[in-house]
Amino acid sequence: MRRSALLSIPITVAATLGFVAFGSAPLAGTEERWAAFAPNLENSAQVVWGATQDEAKEKAASSCRASSATCAAKPANTNGLGHVFALMCCTAPQQGCAATVGETRQIALHEVKRLFADAGYSQCRLQGYFSAATGQKG
């Protein structure tokens, strides 16, 4: 499994945090499909898909900007459609939301908790999990 950390510190109090992304190579002979999720403070973001990582990330950013001014700069993304996104928001030292993705809920939750802890955030609350395959909250 490939893993890359994409942490960006908020420029303004209303900005959201960056993300950790996980992915795995597609099976031979299958078309690659990427899922991406760019959360915002209003929790109105949705999982979107693209044929490439860049396309999925751009679609996620565009989708978020259509409903919010507080979108994350770097969407969480994966080409592992069996993966899940974990969305968490914190209120201290300032308000911020972030999403991470993992092969299981436990991994995704661990990664988003670590992301916020490393950035010095507290008073955090899990907002939910989202399927990379369907986008459904669950």
Side-chain angles (χ1 to χ4, degrees), residues 78-90:
T78 183
N79 64 349
L81 296 183
H83 294 170
V84 294
F85 294 97
L87 172 62
M88 181 173 279
C89 295
C90 302

Side-chain angles (χ1 to χ4, degrees), residues 67-135:
S67 64
S68 175
T70 63
C71 300
K74 297 179 181 177
N77 62 88
T78 183
N79 64 349
L81 296 183
H83 294 170
V84 294
F85 294 97
L87 172 62
M88 181 173 279
C89 295
C90 302
T91 58
Q94 61 192 23
Q95 190 174 9
C97 293
T100 58
V101 64
E103 292 177 343
T104 66
R105 285 181 174 201
Q106 293 78 18
I107 293 170
L109 179 61
H110 173 77
E111 292 298 325
V112 78
K113 283 181 175 180
R114 184 175 72 173
L115 181 104
F116 276 117
D118 289 351
Y121 278 73
S122 63
Q123 299 177 6
C124 301
R125 182 171 171 242
L126 179 67
Q127 301 297 311
Y129 297 98
F130 297 83
S131 166
T134 66

Side-chain angles (χ1 to χ4, degrees), residues 2-6 19-23 34 53 75-78 99-101:
R2 181 180 36 172
R3 178 178 162 194
S4 62
L6 303 169
F19 309 95
V20 176
F22 289 84
W34 286 82
Q53 182 180 29
N77 62 88
T78 183
T100 58
V101 64

